[in-house]
Amino acid sequence: MSEAPAPRRVRVAVEAPQHSGLTGPLDYLGPQDLTPGTLVHVTLGRRDVMGLVWDDLPDGVELPEDERLPESELRPVGEALDALPPLSDRWRRLVEFAASYYQRSVGELALAVLPPQLRDLDAKQLQARLKKLDKADAAAAAQAAATPATPADRPALTAQQQAALDAVLELAAREAPPPALLWGLTGSGKTEIYLRAAEAALERGQQVLVLVPEINLTPQLEARFAERFAGHAIVSLHSGLTPAQRLRHWLAAHLGRAQLVLGTRLAVFASMPRLGLIVVDEEHDPSYKQQDGARYSARDLAVYRGHLEKVPVLLGSATPSLESWQHALGGRYRRIDLTERIGGGALPRVRLFDMNRLERKKGVTTTLSVPLLDALRKRLDRGEQSLVFLNRRGYAPVLHCDQCNWKSDCPHCSAHQVFHKEDRTLRCHHCGVSARVPRACPSCGNPDIAPLGRGTERLEEQLAQALPGARVARIDADTTKLKGSLESQLAAVHEGDVDILVGTQMVAKGHDFRRITLVAAVNPDGALFSSDFRAPERLFSLLMQAGGRAGRDAAQAAASEMWVQTWYPEHALYQSLQKHDYEAFASSQLHERMSANLPPFAHLALVRAEGRSVEAARDFLTAAQEAAQALPLSLGLLLYPPVPMAVARIADSERFQMLIEAGSRAQLQRFLRAWLPELHALKRRQKGLTRWAVDVDPLAI
Ligand code: ADP
Ligand code: ZN
Ligand code: ZN
């Protein structure tokens, strides 16, 4: 009997909380033949946790003395889940990059992006799962293999689509394809290009990853892919799946059985051994940015992954993010344009309704202006549908007493509690606290407290009153809380059971409503004066997208209209919108960003701090700033002083932020790597500080 080879030092990525200061994989003792990418059980402190065997340090590189435990003190690796093929080298490079770029530990990120259920399995349970999957997959896989990638039933491409597809295929044939920005109006046939590019990848025996911004949009796209690629193995990956489904779908991707993987931002980390194409639909959408933990941008990581795997990345949008647009202008991304709507449908005429010219009469509400009501009535008479868009849910943003000036403030936040009439509650949209509406003013007893302003609930009520007989429906976060309710409400709109649909940005995105001929934005001006420099960009894309809902049916396109009520009709944003001129809008915005030294011409990081007192949050950031100034690497960076966040207090937590601006990404990264360890140390010393976090490339400021 030969002796077992001596165990060796192996590095294992484990989910150590970031504040522990452990950033790299930890050393354990394991068998010689343990392959990187294998899941193993290890002991961390006193807990048994899942870890992922990481790569050995390159030859000649060693950890500093004080971080390198002697072999005699290392703990042994536990059970290995080696029935699962190891996560690939490229997958580990993606995770390593994301962890380093967004300043998290490799282990935290690696474990966080795996399906949660996988972490709880032992080797035996995993084997049982795989066996069960094998049986279920065998039949499906046989069918998938036998199904030709070329579907019989697909439309002939327009000349413009053919040119776009040729461009994509030409890129795909390259050794290292650059990302492509597919710029095309809503209804210009972008999805058809995704489908054709996917088809080509499937023909090459490759897997395709398609990202969509929102969970609500996955069923639609899934249906379209499922219809086109009937018989192929398609799985979805998003947070709405049960843990068991998520594991099953993830395994199908990892084992190479799923040919198409559709998902939200977390799917960018799906393990796919034969990845051949990545599609990012609506690439400008803010939902691609993760808002807690590792605050990654799935769009940006998709681009990086394409570069790593040498596969084409197709970014699609009618209103690309200014970052992507600038990359296209500079030649880093290849731009592919679709300028015509399929079937020749025209874009809706944009009518900028000047609120200054509205007659001021008592009792005339400004939101539902008389001309707007007339326009809605016309649609009603013709049996057409309208969409009225207001980005504020609830009945009224605040209740108010005009005797003593009391307002329904949230006791825990620096914000008002929103009045919801349906269940007669006051609800805080920041901390979630909810209370009964008081009978009288809590401060002076005046029984006449009144709602101030307007949300979708009130708009719905006022529309129903002003247009008797009209079937008015509302879609927003409040009406769609129950599973399946959004689907059934959308179905009602499609069936023609609704004349006027009221909603928040939820309805502006993606839905293919055929009978809508009027889209009205009743109060969009707020974004023009926001302290967030990205607000105009978001407003423009939202309005373009909302407008795209109208006139998708070419026969009605000519009569379609987008109605924008504004006090600033001369504003450049609205002027570009009126001409459907994204290019002009982008160019004016980029000009402004350049002169203000903002992204994409500068690179930002934001440090946010929350504390039990103003002092705790502010003092932490002040100390952080001093530590930054003492670092030579901060030379040439702009360190803004700490300021309260836009909503300064949420759930009794005081919130401050501090912005860092750098001329180059690399410079920012070098600085953050040197600075963050100091923040971890400061956090331990700062009393009353509850949380802090760094956000690289923050979206909302
Ligand atoms: P987008 O993704 O840009 O909004 P879609 O790909 O959804 O556009 O196309 C809009 C509509 O036109 C869809 O109903 C689609 O089925 C249809 N369509 C797309 N390409 C063609 C084509 N070449 N011939 C006929 N219909 C098409
Ligand atoms: Zn009062
Ligand atoms: Zn609150």
Side-chain angles (χ1 to χ4, degrees), residues 401 403-404 406 441 444 446:
C401 165
Q403 302 267 306
C404 75
W406 171 87
C441 171
C444 75
N446 169 21

